[in-house]
Amino acid sequence: MTSIYWDETLGEIKKGISEIGHPFRFFTLATTDESNHPSQRTVVFRHFNDNLDVVFYTDRRSQKVKDIEKNGAVSLLFYHPKHLLQISLKGKASIITDTDLLKTYWSAVPDSNKKDYTTHLAPGSTIENPESVEYLDEHYFCAIKIEPTSMEYLKVKQPNHIRVLFSKIDGSWSGKFLAP
């Protein structure tokens, strides 16, 4: 009975990649820093494959990369305000090191966006003013892959909210309803 919610979950996630303006194009990524404090930020959803891996891009000097290197356990949150649908995903993040794949990803980044990965200082560094940012010829482009271990579907609707937890066990996904 949970299969219709599984299909909707995957369908909406895929639309985050394929449909311009879909709310799942951006998601919230939560990591844990070296002091075991949570950090959240919005990232752009770039790829979703048949293994259900989620990929986003970042500057490899960013704090999120440092967090993931120390603890790959992450949480993602997608929200669709029109459908009142929330999908939370938990999984293991890792830095993609396949140079051919990284070259493919980098070549697909629009030239106007490539400068975001070429600043002379790491993201989050203190600067005098926004005009003081310098750009380099080299880049610090990085891609992160999240392998999901669970996905939770929550739809706020009347007369009853619907909540389903999908868990990956021994390579297979199964779902069970939860009290909303």
Side-chain angles (χ1 to χ4, degrees), residues 5 8 10 18 27 33-34 49 53 62 70 104 106-107 111-112 129 142-144 156 165 172:
Y5 303 107
E8 182 180 359
L10 295 185
S18 63
F27 62 87
D33 68 17
E34 65 276 351
N49 64 26
D53 298 334
S62 69
K70 291 193 183 283
T104 299
W106 179 247
S107 68
D111 288 340
S112 60
N129 64 61
C142 178
I144 305 291
V156 179
L165 175 64
S172 296

Side-chain angles (χ1 to χ4, degrees), residues 32-37 63 66-67 70:
T32 306
D33 68 17
E34 65 276 351
S35 301
N36 210 28
H37 292 103
Q63 184 61 48
K66 293 174 188 171
D67 293 350
K70 291 193 183 283

Side-chain angles (χ1 to χ4, degrees), residues 136-156:
L136 309 170
D137 291 331
E138 65 181 303
H139 67 79
Y140 296 94
F141 177 78
C142 178
I144 305 291
K145 174 179 77 170
I146 296 104
E147 298 176 51
T149 55
S150 70
M151 287 192 248
E152 190 172 310
Y153 169 105
L154 175 62
K155 183 169 267 187
V156 179

Side-chain angles (χ1 to χ4, degrees), residues 36-48:
N36 210 28
H37 292 103
S39 294
Q40 299 175 332
R41 75 282 284 159
T42 302
V43 297
V44 181
F45 187 16
R46 300 293 183 176
H47 303 280
F48 187 64

